[in-house]
Amino acid sequence: MDRSKKKSPATTKKSTAPTKKYKPKVPKSSKKCSGASLRESERMKERGGKGGSQQPSVNERYTQWKSLVPVLYDWLANHNLVWPSLSCRWGPLLEQATYKNRQRLYLSEQTDGSVPNTLVIANCEIVKPRVAAAEHIAQFNEEARSPFVKKFKTIIHPGEVNRIRELPQNNKIVATHTDSPDVLIWDVEAQPNRQAVLGATESLPDLILTGHQENAEFALAMCQSEPFVLSGGKDKSVVLWSIHDHISTLATDSGAGSSGGKSPKAGGIDDKPSTESPKIQARGIFQGHQDTVEDVQFCPSSAQEFCSVGDDSCLILWDARTGYSPVVKVEKAHNADLHCVDWNPIDENFILTGSADNTVRLFDRRNLTSNGVGSPVHIFTNHNAAVLCVQWSPDKSSIFGSSAEDGVLNIWDHNKIGERSGPASKFAPGLLFRHSGHRDKVVDFHWNSHDPWTIVSVSDDGESTGGGGTLQIWRMIDLIYRPQEEVIEELEKFKSHILTCSPP
């Protein structure tokens, strides 16, 4: 099913193949609506476990999770959002101090039309490892804004912000997808700060990338080695651009963080009139999918190699040097629509995919052939709803995360497949950690490359609470992922104290 049916009635969410787009947007003011608990109960009954096992309600799961926060987390910040954010991305590191760092954070506000949709640039304070006290991280109010997250700038976006991606070669540049065929490029430092009030004019993108024939809403990626942008859309195409094709201040320098030359004017670039954004055309349009392209990703070391997934259940590998047709096309990569894909930045043989069939699959590209033959190395099965986002850790090649419509963000270690730390029926192979701090669908998350075990995640809470969203920044306690011998050695120091503690 095409994820583009975001504005369909809520009843369509009860299909057997959940989709990524969401029900009509609901203002936060209606969060306490009387039907919220009923919707929770109905949805959890519908998603009852396979084989008749009973799943806990949203509130039961959340209450249990909250009681374990001091034990499982090194740090956690919970930030209540008035409007859901469909995408979250870490930006550049701004300042380092003794106990915490300050860093940019990119978010969006998906409104109901009473105020404009916005792209939000926030400043985030990140407490360093082993600094926060357990009592401190447990004392958060889920209805409040976190003091660690402060809005820095607002850009009035022309349409909803479905996806945000940052340019590695210039940390002032981000790309966004909305409900249109175009990709919008923004210089977030040069853009003026706007007041998001009804009737306000839209901010002008610094650059518009054209080439799609129909809306391109989700599939968006930036290249690590060159200022290249990749997109996919409802026209079944994968489109490639180079920002260098526009000779302007957006052409990136070798030094990350510098936009070079003079700053763009507020609302335009160079000598362009302020009422019009410059446009560039695609370098290549790649055809091979039979349905909407839902996600794309570059090979980490190449600007010419990339992959894509779509509603045709296919995983396709491309190489721009060999033409515009697939190099490898894996038919039936999943048993339903594919929603997301990520390419391992450390071991480039491995590619992850997530699907509406509730699974994450790991593929080894060495086992894929040009006739489309290829089986996953492993199928990860712990979600009980559609998987919406997968992403490799930037720090360790075997670690990755997956988030889904079941409200859970799982952290996996594929090196631990085959290891058992408990009853065989209790733990999914390779599952390292379950983050259950969200009450509803976890629509996006992002590992922090400056602090690799710190993750930002966002949920759209429209179904469970009646509106709004939740942003969480969190880091699991390092005893969970450090080598076992190190953990045992450290815990030995506290053995005598633990033995003298009276039972609760």
Side-chain angles (χ1 to χ4, degrees):
M1 186 183 297
D2 189 342
R3 292 185 294 173
S4 63
K5 296 178 176 58
K6 177 164 53 178
K7 299 183 177 66
S8 58
T11 53
T12 62
K13 298 302 296 177
K14 298 192 176 183
S15 63
T16 56
T19 60
K20 183 166 181 180
K21 289 281 193 168
Y22 315 117
K23 60 175 280 184
K25 294 159 288 197
V26 183
K28 196 70 169 187
S29 59
S30 65
K31 186 170 183 178
K32 302 294 184 183
C33 65
S34 60
S37 60
L38 178 61
R39 288 197 300 273
E40 291 173 15
S41 175
E42 289 174 347
R43 190 174 70 262
M44 295 313 294
K45 284 179 182 177
E46 173 199 337
R47 292 179 180 171
K50 295 177 181 179
S53 62
Q54 185 66 39
Q55 297 291 321
S57 72
V58 171
N59 283 334
E60 288 172 342
R61 186 183 69 189
Y62 184 84
T63 300
Q64 182 183 38
W65 167 81
K66 194 170 181 181
S67 70
L68 294 173
V69 164
V71 179
L72 297 178
Y73 293 84
D74 178 69
W75 182 58
L76 181 138
N78 188 93
H79 188 73
N80 181 268
L81 299 172
V82 176
W83 304 106
S85 178
L86 300 190
S87 192
C88 59
R89 299 293 290 186
W90 291 111
L93 190 64
L94 301 175
E95 182 183 351
Q96 298 188 63
T98 305
Y99 297 110
K100 58 188 176 182
N101 296 333
R102 194 159 57 93
Q103 190 171 350
R104 284 274 195 266
L105 185 64
Y106 304 126
L107 303 165
S108 66
E109 291 179 320
Q110 182 199 24
T111 73
D112 64 351
S114 60
V115 292
N117 293 285
T118 63
L119 172 63
V120 175
I121 298 92
N123 288 337
C124 178
E125 292 184 342
I126 302 166
V127 176
K128 291 188 174 181
R130 298 201 166 205
V131 169
E135 314 85 66
H136 172 74
I137 65 171
Q139 293 171 350
F140 67 86
N141 177 3
E142 53 260 39
E143 296 296 324
R145 313 276 180 88
S146 169
F148 295 101
V149 180
K150 293 182 172 63
K151 188 178 290 189
F152 170 71
K153 181 180 288 188
T154 297
I155 294 171
I156 299 180
H157 198 270
E160 299 168 352
V161 183
N162 296 330
R163 189 66 57 91
I164 306 167
R165 289 292 180 265
E166 67 284 357
L167 185 68
Q169 298 81 25
N170 187 329
N171 58 28
K172 298 178 181 180
I173 307 301
V174 301
T176 58
H177 254 329
T178 185
D179 296 335
S180 85
D182 300 328
V183 177
L184 309 181
I185 304 293
W186 307 88
D187 184 330
V188 294
E189 295 298 320
Q191 283 282 336
N193 188 24
R194 303 290 305 281
Q195 190 72 24
V197 294
L198 185 63
T201 58
E202 297 169 346
S203 299
L204 287 171
D206 292 287
L207 194 61
I208 297 176
L209 312 184
T210 63
H212 280 293
Q213 301 304 307
E214 295 185 56
N215 285 358
E217 298 171 324
F218 284 106
L220 184 64
M222 297 286 215
C223 178
Q224 290 294 321
S225 56
E226 296 284 344
F228 284 12
V229 182
L230 197 64
S231 170
K234 296 179 73 174
D235 58 3
K236 310 171 189 176
S237 300
V238 175
V239 184
L240 175 69
W241 297 268
S242 170
I243 293 181
H244 272 325
D245 289 345
H246 178 71
I247 308 301
S248 73
T249 55
L250 282 183
T252 56
D253 296 333
S254 57
S258 172
S259 60
K262 62 181 180 179
S263 297
K265 299 172 183 176
I269 289 182
D270 301 335
D271 297 324
K272 287 281 184 180
S274 60
T275 57
E276 182 183 351
S277 300
K279 299 179 179 180
I280 59 173
Q281 296 179 342
R283 282 201 171 186
I285 299 177
F286 300 82
Q287 304 283 350
H289 282 284
Q290 302 304 311
D291 208 332
T292 301
V293 180
E294 295 285 6
D295 201 10
V296 291
Q297 191 58 254
F298 280 98
C299 174
S301 64
S302 172
Q304 307 297 328
E305 296 176 81
F306 40 91
C307 62
S308 60
V309 296
D311 290 343
D312 55 3
S313 302
C314 291
L315 164 65
I316 297 181
L317 274 59
W318 312 84
D319 190 332
R321 295 165 297 191
T322 64
Y324 303 109
S325 298
V327 173
V328 177
K329 184 174 183 178
V330 182
E331 306 273 3
K332 206 72 176 174
H334 281 259
N335 298 322
D337 302 354
L338 274 74
H339 288 168
C340 46
V341 64
D342 198 27
W343 204 314
N344 194 311
I346 301 170
D347 186 341
E348 294 180 1
N349 291 313
F350 291 130
I351 295 173
L352 285 172
T353 56
S355 169
D357 67 6
N358 306 354
T359 71
V360 176
R361 300 194 177 192
L362 174 63
F363 291 91
D364 186 333
R365 67 169 173 169
R366 294 168 295 188
N367 298 338
L368 308 178
T369 60
S370 57
N371 63 0
V373 176
S375 299
V377 174
H378 188 76
I379 300 176
F380 298 87
T381 56
N382 189 259
H383 291 291
N384 58 25
V387 178
L388 303 180
C389 184
V390 291
Q391 191 189 29
W392 291 102
S393 163
D395 185 58
K396 189 175 179 183
S397 63
S398 64
I399 303 290
F400 66 91
S402 63
S403 67
E405 288 193 351
D406 58 9
V408 173
L409 200 168
N410 285 329
I411 305 298
W412 307 84
D413 185 347
H414 72 76
N415 280 348
K416 294 188 179 297
I417 296 173
E419 295 183 12
R420 293 287 185 186
S421 56
S425 60
K426 188 175 181 181
F427 300 104
L431 184 62
L432 183 67
F433 188 82
R434 277 173 64 87
H435 177 66
S436 301
H438 292 282
R439 293 178 184 267
D440 213 322
K441 57 187 84 68
V442 184
V443 294
D444 200 13
F445 71 94
H446 193 201
W447 298 85
N448 192 330
S449 60
H450 295 286
D451 187 357
W453 287 97
T454 298
I455 292 173
V456 58
S457 52
V458 288
S459 58
D460 178 354
D461 301 338
E463 285 190 30
S464 63
T465 62
T470 301
L471 177 145
Q472 291 181 338
I473 303 167
W474 53 276
R475 182 193 306 119
M476 73 179 81
I477 193 167
D478 61 8
L479 298 178
I480 294 173
Y481 58 81
R482 281 168 51 201
Q484 185 175 346
E485 57 273 14
E486 283 186 21
V487 173
I488 293 173
E489 183 180 350
E490 180 168 336
L491 293 178
E492 272 298 320
K493 301 173 186 177
F494 303 97
K495 182 177 180 180
S496 58
H497 172 71
I498 293 171
L499 292 175
T500 59
C501 291
S502 58

